[in-house]
Amino acid sequence: MLEKGNRANTLHGILLIALFSFAAFYIASFPIVKRLSFSPLIVGIVLGMLYANSLRNKLPETWVPGIKFCTKQVLRWGIILYGFRLTLAQVAAVGVPAVAVDLVVVVVTILGGVLLGRLLKIDRDTALMTSTGSAICGAAAVLGAEPVVKCEGYKTAIAVSTVVIFGTLSMFLYPIMYRTGMLDGLSDTGVAIYTGSTLHEVAHVAGAGNAMDPTDSLGIAGTATITKMIRVMMLAPVLVVMSLALAGRRREDAAAVAEGAKAEKSRITIPWFAFGFIAVICLNSLLQHWCGVESVREIPLNGTIEYIDTFMLTMAMTALGTETSLDKFRQAGAKPFVLAGLLYVWLVVGGYFLTKWVVGMM
């Protein structure tokens, strides 16, 4: 993509996305945007979509490789650096119940979403991307799955949109349920695990947790965030399994296209960035031990790395947004949002009873 002959035009495309990303960071700092817990990633994809539906046709086609670079290479490195937000100690801190609930939520949501997608006659890529976003960590999971699924950019944007809608709804719904006594069947730890294992984005979990327990005196806000980060760590193994499963599907598709002829052997796509993600988590755990600090934010340069990583992920989201037009949303129809809504019901209702049962057992 950065070949010598096309390097200047590619850099123009990257610079365009970078400028939009700076704007996303600026807008995300507005008080009203902060209150809604809209991260720069979400603002970035909105800006990209606004551009796609207004001035996109005026963009020189020679700049497109720069945008593609942001949706591929920049995205992968952003996912790898995301590991600096986590440590292995965080898993041990909340114990087996959080891991068990997270694991069931991730598996059931992805497999259930794929099956529901078939019933709703949604294309497999859109169903898988939407299910992955609901199951793991919202927009970051959708971005992580995109290089493995290799779907069109607008499908990624649709999946992200469902995460934004239902995740934002949860951020307001969960504190209301907590205040009105609807979650009295759970202990404070249970409420935290329930929140962290069923809300979509890390920002949504932080927002809901802080609304229920502003000073973290009950341990709800902190435990919910850690539970959520355990779900984030599950992204890497999910991507590996997904890659192997999709390789088999592509072989079947190739055989169907060949109509009985010898199909070309499909090469398994190994998401190496997922292994990089796990390696960085291990490295971060060692750094925390060597530095003798209690949280990852106290590790030297961790804050700077997190800022750079957020900017890279914002660039990827913005670039995906620039490839998303309203025509493509109309083409997809309402079915992806119906799917996301059904998964949302499972997360809110099923997640509650699952958490109550698991925490009660342990």
Side-chain angles (χ1 to χ4, degrees):
M1 266 181 196
L2 289 174
E3 291 87 356
K4 188 174 182 180
N6 195 39
R7 189 173 299 165
N9 286 321
T10 300
L11 291 176
H12 286 152
I14 296 174
L15 179 60
L16 174 68
I17 298 301
L19 290 174
F20 272 115
S21 300
F22 278 118
F25 266 73
Y26 178 69
I27 295 172
S29 68
F30 292 173
I32 186 171
V33 179
K34 279 187 173 181
R35 282 198 294 271
L36 293 172
S37 291
F38 283 173
S39 66
L41 282 74
I42 304 304
V43 177
I45 197 169
V46 172
L47 290 179
M49 291 171 64
L50 290 174
Y51 178 78
N53 292 279
S54 57
L55 303 175
R56 178 64 174 82
N57 293 332
K58 299 184 182 297
L59 176 71
E61 286 300 317
T62 52
W63 290 17
V64 173
I67 296 176
K68 297 290 187 183
F69 181 85
C70 294
T71 63
K72 304 296 181 184
Q73 277 72 19
V74 173
L75 165 61
R76 289 180 173 91
W77 280 104
I79 296 297
I80 290 172
L81 292 180
Y82 200 88
F84 278 107
R85 308 180 191 212
L86 311 170
T87 65
L88 298 175
Q90 290 175 320
V91 179
V94 295
V96 176
V99 177
V101 174
D102 278 344
L103 183 61
V104 173
V105 165
V106 169
V107 173
V108 173
T109 304
I110 293 178
L111 294 181
V114 172
L115 292 175
L116 285 172
R118 289 183 179 179
L119 293 175
L120 293 170
K121 297 182 179 179
I122 301 173
D123 73 88
R124 289 177 293 187
D125 290 346
T126 301
L128 183 56
M129 295 289 279
T130 301
S131 303
T132 302
S134 296
I136 305 177
C137 53
V142 176
L143 285 172
E146 196 275 338
V148 177
V149 180
K150 296 180 179 179
C151 64
E152 294 91 336
Y154 79 92
K155 294 180 181 179
T156 303
I158 289 171
V160 170
S161 299
T162 64
V163 168
V164 173
I165 292 171
F166 291 103
T168 302
L169 177 61
S170 294
M171 190 176 61
F172 296 104
L173 176 64
Y174 278 46
I176 291 174
M177 291 195 299
Y178 179 73
R179 299 299 178 193
T180 56
M182 295 178 67
L183 302 182
D184 286 351
L186 299 174
S187 63
D188 290 335
T189 300
V191 171
I193 293 175
Y194 170 58
T195 302
S197 62
T198 56
L199 264 70
H200 297 67
E201 290 274 357
V202 176
H204 295 150
V205 173
N210 289 332
M212 290 185 282
D213 185 17
T215 61
D216 201 24
S217 59
L218 303 175
I220 294 176
T223 303
T225 301
I226 293 173
T227 302
K228 177 63 181 177
M229 299 314 268
I230 293 173
R231 277 173 77 196
V232 174
M233 292 176 69
M234 293 181 180
L235 176 61
V238 165
L239 292 179
V240 174
V241 173
M242 190 182 297
S243 179
L244 295 172
L246 290 176
R249 190 190 80 182
R250 290 178 184 124
R251 280 195 294 268
E252 292 176 3
D253 291 344
V257 171
E259 295 181 353
K262 186 177 181 180
E264 181 182 355
K265 188 175 181 180
S266 177
R267 181 171 59 89
I268 296 176
T269 302
I270 302 297
W272 295 110
F273 65 92
F275 292 101
F277 173 72
I278 292 294
V280 167
I281 293 174
C282 295
L283 173 62
N284 209 35
S285 302
L286 290 174
L287 290 174
Q288 184 183 27
H289 176 71
W290 290 337
C291 296
V293 295
E294 294 185 1
S295 69
V296 293
R297 292 186 177 274
E298 298 177 69
I299 300 174
L301 299 179
N302 186 275
T304 302
I305 294 173
E306 182 175 335
Y307 184 88
I308 293 172
D309 176 53
T310 302
F311 188 80
M312 293 175 73
L313 291 175
T314 301
M315 287 182 66
M317 293 287 280
T318 304
L320 288 169
T322 62
E323 298 181 346
T324 305
S325 65
L326 293 177
D327 290 337
K328 292 177 179 178
F329 270 92
R330 283 193 289 267
Q331 179 184 346
K335 289 183 178 180
F337 296 91
V338 173
L339 170 61
L342 292 173
L343 293 176
Y344 180 66
V345 172
W346 143 247
L347 290 172
V348 174
V349 180
Y352 172 83
F353 289 105
L354 172 66
T355 304
K356 186 176 181 178
W357 180 69
V358 171
V359 174
M361 289 282 291
M362 300 181 181

